[in-house]
Every structure is written in structure tokens, then in C-alpha cells.
Amino acid sequence: MMGQSWMAATLGGLLLQAVPGLAQKATGECCSELSTQLQDKVFFPSTPGYNTSMEGFWTLQATFDTPTCIVVPSCTADVSTAVKTLVAGQCKFSVKGGGHTPFAGAASISDGVQIDMTSMNSVTVNEDRTVAQIGAGARWLKVYQELQPQKLMVAGGRDSDVGVGGLILGGGYSWFTTKRGFVADGVVNIELVKADGEVINVNAESYPDLFVGLKGGGNNFGIATRFDLKAFPFETMWGGKKVYPNTTTDAQIRAFVNFNENAHTDPHANLINYFNYDSASKEHIVFNVIDYNIPVEDPPIYDEIKAIPDVAIDTMRIGPVSDFTEELSSASQRNRNIFLTITFDNDFDMYKKAVEISNSHLKPFLEVPGLIWSLLFQPIPAVISEASKANGGNILGIDRNSKNQILYLLYLTWTDPADDEALHAAAYDTLDEIKKESIKSGTANPYIYLNYAGEFQDVLSGYGVENVLKMKELSAKYDPDGVFQKLVPGGWKIADVI
């Protein structure tokens, strides 16, 4: 995998050539021009605004990048001005929303310009209360805090610290996914700044091909400045966490697989299964995140989980969405991080093998200070595709699935940079072994969830040949000079897919 990833990165580097007909300026010149045009919205190193932006990244690796300057737009016109200036000067740039991608260079940049969207975080509701207009720089906690007093909700993120823009452009899971599809499927309009600075509204009637491509297509087509999401009446739900010793592993896996098989019978039900090791406590624990998106306690779909003994902690209660997203907030885990992900069939033996493989690669690191080694498993029931199709479809390729799937995330956090190389290698080795096992067992699935993916994973190829071709066509149509392939190096690029 690493060899293939290196090849993709090399090909991507060859694509970073100047747009034809435009002379490349030094990044400092672009920053000077931006400072003249946008004045106090441009920040240089060692200034408070610059430092605030860099501290806004979740993973510490990104905070050590060194953009030449940072633009903090307050409106769409500012974004358009920045894009025009950067393209005219052929200066590289990045786009930062919530800054939650767990590796440097995705939304951060060195020797380039960082566009920080976090000031564009407004949340408004239309007159008939059916659409919430959300700035691309908002985080989900703010969204819910604005909507809850109005007794409204959108299908959004489950971690309060995650940004709106990145989650939607990667597809996005919510507490409403089984019923409503991915978070991106709930979008009815996207305000987008194209590579030439033009501002367009992208929806099912206007640019319908691009609308589908943006729902999971990452940062390949422009800068999204606002998302309009379907809003619906909502007040409270039932949910929380149950924590167990890892002696319950087999029962947990069996209950999860059965839940996934029956998810189509109850579209309100959600489940995430975690296996967690913390080097500080030396404890291996299992916990279930259970969230039922209406205020009904102990619905029957959770009966098998309810029967698992030895519950050490139980936080189940009825409350607002913001309460449950705060419970899952990753803000306290801001450290050195890596995510890696894979998808396979809903199969007990494959699930158990993934746990065993992961634990075997953990063993050499049990004493590493500050290490938290987590496995996350969540259902992808086939019924999600029906909800996505009902909302016009997306570019993710999930609709290829006729079987229920399991989404696996390997999530490591640690403190010492000296452990970076060894832990990255162990993580990728873990994933490679799980992938080989899934192929061997006939349970493999090509889908790679962008928002959980590692830097060197081939995310877009996992969407399928048909969707890759669609994305290439969209890039050629809406960004013919390849600005978002050549000047925006962060993220997963459709031009890199061979």
C-alpha cells in the first residue's frame, strides 16, 4: 500500500504545474496583494490572528505547518477575491474549515496561503422553517445550539468539534443516516466559489451534475461557502454510552452483526462499537454508543445489546442532539493522530479477525506514553442507499452494495513525535493485514470513507470506476485549468486516480 501511495503522491506532485498562460509569483507577493485587497482579514506569522488559526487544527501535526499568510474571509466575496488573486499569481493554497482531518497538509499548508473559513459560521433558517443555511466554517455544536431553541434539526455530525464543510464534502454520517442517507444527502443547495472566482449556487436544478459530485467529492471542484440543509421538527432523542470489559468481545460482535442485519426494520436506531486501549490506565475496554433519534427508551432493536452483562458505565438518557455530540467530542483528544479505514461485509468472523489483527499490532506499543489505540466499528446497512437515491444520489458509490457492510476505523492518538514513524507504520500494517484477510474471506469491499481515511489511502478509487470517470469529467468541465488539482495540494485529488 505504501508503495502505491508513494506513486500516487509522486504523480500528484507532477501535476502541480502552473496554469497555462499565467506567470507564477512568489507566495509573499500573493500575500502582499491579498493584504492590500482584504486588509485586516490577512494575517502574517506571529500575529494573533495567524496563531489563532493555526491553533484551530485538531491534530497537532497540522499546527506545525507554516503558511506564508492566512486569509480569514468574512463573506463569500472575500473568498472569491482570494481565489482570483491566488490563481492569477499561481500561488498554492489550502482551505480550512473545522480543521479536523488528522494529518498535516490536508487543510494546512507550508509556503502557501491558508484560507480559514471559520468566520463564515452563520446559521439561519428560512421563513417556512424547512431549510437551514449554514456557513461552511461552522462546527456542528454551533449548528445544533442555534436550531434547538427553534425545535428544529438537520442531519449533521455526531462530534461537536467537527466542521460542517469537511464532513459534508466527505459524505458524512449522522444520527439520521439510516432514514435520511448521508449528511451530504440532506443538502439542497451549495454556494460554491469556482476556480475563476465566480460564485454559483449548486443544486438539483442548477448544475445538477456538479451537485452530485460535491456530495462526497471533497475539495476537487471549488470552495463551498454555504450549505443549505433540509430542516425538520425535532426536540429530543434517547442515547448515550455503555462501557464494558473486553471479556464481552464475542457478545459485542454478535450483537453488532445482528443489529446491522436488522437495521432496516428500525430507521431510528444507531450503533457504534468501540474497542479502546489507553496506555495511561493499561485498560482494554469496549463501549457502545447507542443513539435512537426519537425520545423512546430501550426500543427492542437493542435487546441483544441490553442483555450483555458487566456494564461498568451507563449514560443512557433522553436529551437534545447537542448533548450527545458533546459526549462524543474529540476536542479533548487534540494530539498527534492518525485515522485509517476499511469496509467489509457484515460478517462475525471478519469483524472478530479485524479485532484480533488490530490487537496483535498494538502489543509492541502497550507502554507508549499517552497512547490511545481505538477501533471503531459502525454499520453501513444497505438501506442507506435507498435514502441516498431518494435525495438525488451522491458520488460515494455506496449504492453498489447489496449487502450490509461494516465500516472500520483505526484511530490512534499519542503525545511524543518520536513515536510518529513507528505508530504510522503499525497502523498501515494493521490495515494491510485486515484488507488481505477480507479479500481471503470474500468479505472485502472497495469503499473508503473519506472522512476516516489516512493520507496515503486511495479514497476516490474506492468510489468505483463509473464515479471516478464522473469526477474527472466534472473537474474538466468546471475547473478546466485544474486549479483545485494543481494549486490546492491538500486532500484526495481526482487527477491522481489512474
Side-chain angles (χ1 to χ4, degrees):
M1 177 180 287
M2 291 295 286
Q4 294 172 345
S5 304
W6 175 86
M7 182 180 294
T10 303
L11 290 170
L14 293 174
L15 288 166
L16 291 175
Q17 303 166 3
V19 172
L22 295 175
Q24 187 171 11
K25 296 180 180 180
T27 309
E29 292 182 70
C30 283
C31 286
S32 295
E33 291 183 20
L34 287 166
S35 184
T36 299
Q37 295 164 332
L38 298 175
Q39 300 181 8
D40 60 356
K41 297 172 186 176
V42 180
F43 299 93
F44 291 87
S46 300
T47 62
Y50 184 101
N51 295 338
T52 298
S53 178
M54 295 308 296
E55 284 299 311
F57 285 102
W58 175 64
T59 188
L60 288 185
Q61 292 101 312
T63 66
F64 297 108
D65 274 341
T66 54
T68 306
C69 66
I70 297 176
V71 177
V72 184
S74 61
C75 63
T76 302
D78 292 344
V79 178
S80 176
T81 296
V83 170
K84 288 176 183 176
T85 301
L86 292 165
V87 172
Q90 288 295 279
C91 290
K92 292 189 294 182
F93 61 100
S94 67
V95 183
K96 172 183 174 288
H100 204 269
T101 305
F103 57 86
S108 60
I109 195 167
S110 290
D111 189 24
V113 176
Q114 183 169 294
I115 300 176
D116 185 332
M117 302 291 290
T118 51
S119 289
M120 297 180 64
N121 61 4
S122 63
V123 181
T124 60
V125 177
N126 69 346
E127 189 173 345
D128 65 4
R129 293 166 51 87
T130 59
V131 175
Q133 297 179 319
I134 303 171
R139 285 187 167 93
W140 287 106
L141 180 60
K142 175 181 172 63
V143 174
Y144 301 144
Q145 289 174 334
E146 294 285 344
L147 294 179
Q148 284 169 176
Q150 304 178 63
K151 297 183 179 179
L152 291 174
M153 189 45 57
V154 294
R158 301 166 300 182
D159 179 336
S160 61
D161 195 50
V162 167
V164 168
L167 185 81
I168 291 175
L169 294 175
Y173 281 87
S174 77
W175 299 130
F176 306 90
T177 293
T178 302
K179 182 177 181 179
R180 297 177 178 271
F182 290 89
V183 177
D185 293 319
V187 176
V188 296
N189 182 75
I190 300 172
E191 183 181 77
L192 187 78
V193 177
K194 293 170 56 191
D196 59 3
E198 181 186 4
V199 180
I200 61 175
N201 281 285
V202 183
N203 51 61
E205 287 75 40
S206 177
Y207 310 99
D209 55 349
L210 183 57
F211 187 47
V212 172
L214 286 168
K215 293 190 283 185
N219 64 354
N220 279 281
F221 308 119
I223 299 178
T225 52
R226 193 190 76 231
F227 297 90
D228 301 344
L229 275 74
K230 293 179 182 178
F232 48 90
F234 188 89
E235 293 188 47
T236 58
M237 57 189 278
W238 177 76
K241 293 196 297 189
K242 292 190 175 188
V243 181
Y244 312 78
N246 71 343
T247 53
T248 63
T249 292
D250 280 7
Q252 300 285 355
I253 297 173
R254 190 171 294 107
F256 179 100
V257 169
N258 290 336
F259 173 92
N260 200 3
E261 283 302 308
N262 292 291
H264 66 283
T265 67
D266 192 338
H268 302 297
N270 298 271
L271 176 65
I272 308 175
N273 195 199
Y274 285 83
F275 291 76
N276 194 78
Y277 171 78
D278 187 338
S279 68
S281 64
K282 303 295 188 291
E283 285 186 326
H284 293 266
I285 61 170
V286 185
F287 62 94
N288 286 314
V289 175
I290 298 170
D291 287 277
Y292 197 70
N293 61 40
I294 55 176
V296 174
E297 297 184 358
D298 290 316
I301 194 165
Y302 297 113
D303 283 351
E304 187 173 359
I305 295 169
K306 187 178 178 181
I308 298 174
D310 302 324
V311 179
I313 299 172
D314 186 335
T315 70
M316 304 304 295
R317 74 276 187 197
I318 289 175
V321 167
S322 62
D323 189 23
F324 300 107
T325 58
E326 282 281 76
E327 187 172 39
L328 289 187
S329 173
S330 55
S332 64
Q333 296 168 343
R334 185 171 180 266
N335 224 311
R336 310 187 75 79
N337 310 99
I338 185 172
F339 282 8
L340 290 173
T341 188
I342 193 170
T343 305
F344 46 80
D345 289 351
N346 186 47
D347 180 83
F348 176 92
D349 292 334
M350 184 60 228
Y351 186 140
K352 186 173 182 179
K353 196 69 177 178
V355 173
E356 291 171 349
I357 290 169
S358 304
N359 287 340
S360 71
H361 287 278
L362 163 64
K363 284 181 181 178
F365 303 99
L366 293 172
E367 302 297 326
V368 170
L371 174 66
I372 300 175
W373 181 292
S374 298
L375 318 178
L376 177 155
F377 297 86
Q378 70 182 47
I380 312 180
V383 70
I384 290 176
S385 296
E386 297 174 17
S388 295
K389 289 176 184 176
N391 286 292
N394 55 52
I395 204 71
L396 300 170
I398 288 290
D399 55 348
R400 296 169 294 170
N401 293 343
S402 59
K403 297 179 179 179
N404 299 317
Q405 303 291 320
I406 295 174
L407 181 65
Y408 164 96
L409 167 65
L410 176 62
Y411 165 26
L412 312 185
T413 179
W414 66 97
T415 56
D416 191 344
D419 295 317
D420 286 4
E421 184 175 353
L423 286 171
H424 274 83
Y428 274 97
D429 287 347
T430 301
L431 200 76
D432 284 347
E433 190 173 345
I434 292 173
K435 183 176 180 178
K436 289 175 183 175
E437 182 62 31
S438 71
I439 293 171
K440 177 183 174 183
S441 64
T443 60
N445 185 283
Y447 176 63
I448 299 174
Y449 178 42
L450 186 150
N451 291 327
Y452 288 174
E455 181 177 5
F456 301 111
Q457 291 196 263
D458 189 5
V459 173
L460 301 182
S461 291
Y463 290 4
V465 173
E466 182 179 345
N467 286 336
V468 166
L469 292 175
K470 285 180 182 178
M471 289 185 69
K472 286 182 177 289
E473 290 168 0
L474 290 171
S475 180
K477 181 178 180 180
Y478 293 103
D479 182 14
D481 291 327
V483 167
F484 286 92
Q485 308 303 311
K486 301 171 184 176
L487 296 184
V488 184
W492 292 272
K493 298 301 173 184
I494 193 60
D496 292 347
V497 182
I498 301 172

